[in-house]
């Protein structure tokens, strides 16, 4: 992507993300009742609904109406490969589609803005909880306008740890094997069904740590910025940035302890 003009300010990108996430969340909330599977993706369990597509279409249209020179990467529509502004939006219209399908509350609309490849602004709307999270890089994280800071670390054996499972059976089998080693060493496990809700929940202290293999950048871009701006470390298993191999997050001391537990288990491999 070639860049033209001055970099836009982060706050205006965040404000746009929040406005669009609010409208998209309302559309998706209204469409949840009676929703059915429209299609499947990587496996029969990896579903897409009419509302995933409609919500992403709305988000793309609203973002590009205001910023026609930007690029957009979305879970459902892929990478438009356009854009000359240096800004790329990374969008998950409904993170937690299976929760959405079954009428659960924990699903989210995630919109992040990258400038030259760095996530600088984010909005995560969890409509059925009535929660709008937002963050700018270096400017902190907020829930409904109030600054949030994650609570201090706890020792690993007292940690409530969230995780998730991929859609491919072989990967799930390895994730289950790893879980057998984790469960006896932590307070307990939660499988909420939305990586975005897990990561913003981590920022709120609803869990103490989170790890998952096989996420995509749209799963972590926006909620990962909210979490890191709330004082959490969000990375991979080897001390690098979050990746499809593994996303692992928590207060730095706890994230380190969890990495030490997971690394010899091959948690960033399929076994
Ligand atoms: C999924 C959710 C789930 C996680 C999966 C993701 P989707 O996103 O975040 O919690 O375990 O790995 O793919 O498919 O509902 O957008």
């Amino acid at each position: 992507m070639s860049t033209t003009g001055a970099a836009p300010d982060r706050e205006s990108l965040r404000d746009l993300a929040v406005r669009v996430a609010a409208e998209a969340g309302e559309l998706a909330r209204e469409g949840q009742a009676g929703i059915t599977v429209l299609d499947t993706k990587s496996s029969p369990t990896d579903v897409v609904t009419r509302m995933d597509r409609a919500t992403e279409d709305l988000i793309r249209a609203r973002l590009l109406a205001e910023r026609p020179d930007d690029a957009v990467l979305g879970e459902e529509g892929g990478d438009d490969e356009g854009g000359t502004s240096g800004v790329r939006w990374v969008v998950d219209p409904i993170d937690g589609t299976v929760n959405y399908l079954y009428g659960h509350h924990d699903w989210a609309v995630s919109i992040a803005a990258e400038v030259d490849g760095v996530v600088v602004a984010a909005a995560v709307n969890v409509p059925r909880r009535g929660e709008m999270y937002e963050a700018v890089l270096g400017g902190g994280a907020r829930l409904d306008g109030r600054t949030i800071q994650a609570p201090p670390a706890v020792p690993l054996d007292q940690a409530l740890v969230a995780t998730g499972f991929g859609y491919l059976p072989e990967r799930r089998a390895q994730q289950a094997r790893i879980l057998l080693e984790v469960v006896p060493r932590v307070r307990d496990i939660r499988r909420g069904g939305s990586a975005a809700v897990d990561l913003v929940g981590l920022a709120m202290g609803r869990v103490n740590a989170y790890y998952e293999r096989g996420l995509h950048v749209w799963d972590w871009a926006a909620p990962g910025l909210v979490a890191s701006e709330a004082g959490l470390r969000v990375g991979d298993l080897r001390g690098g940035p979050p990746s499809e191999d593994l996303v692992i997050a928590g207060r730095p001391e706890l994230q380190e302890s969890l990495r030490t537990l997971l690394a010899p288990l091959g948690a960033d491999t399929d076994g």
Side-chain angles (χ1 to χ4, degrees), residues 14-15 18 21-22 122-135 140-149 200 203-204 206 226:
R14 177 210 50 209
D15 292 348
V18 168
V124 178
N125 184 7
V126 190
R128 298 288 300 274
R129 285 179 180 258
E131 295 179 345
M132 175 70 80
Y133 296 86
E134 58 184 67
R142 296 193 294 181
L143 165 60
D144 299 331
R146 293 184 312 279
T147 297
I148 51 175
Q149 265 295 311
V200 297
M204 296 297 289
R206 293 173 184 155
V226 171

Side-chain angles (χ1 to χ4, degrees), residues 46 75 92 94-97 164-165 167 191 193-195 212 215 219:
D46 186 3
E75 179 177 13
D92 194 341
I94 298 177
D95 181 67
T97 300
F165 306 111
Y167 291 116
R191 197 299 189 236
S194 160
E212 183 166 352
L215 294 181
D219 293 309

Side-chain angles (χ1 to χ4, degrees), residues 177-198:
R177 284 191 287 274
I178 287 162
L179 203 55
L180 283 179
E181 301 297 324
V182 176
V183 175
R185 295 176 174 83
V186 298
R187 185 188 298 277
D188 207 346
I189 292 288
R190 292 291 180 270
R191 197 299 189 236
S194 160
V197 177
D198 287 338

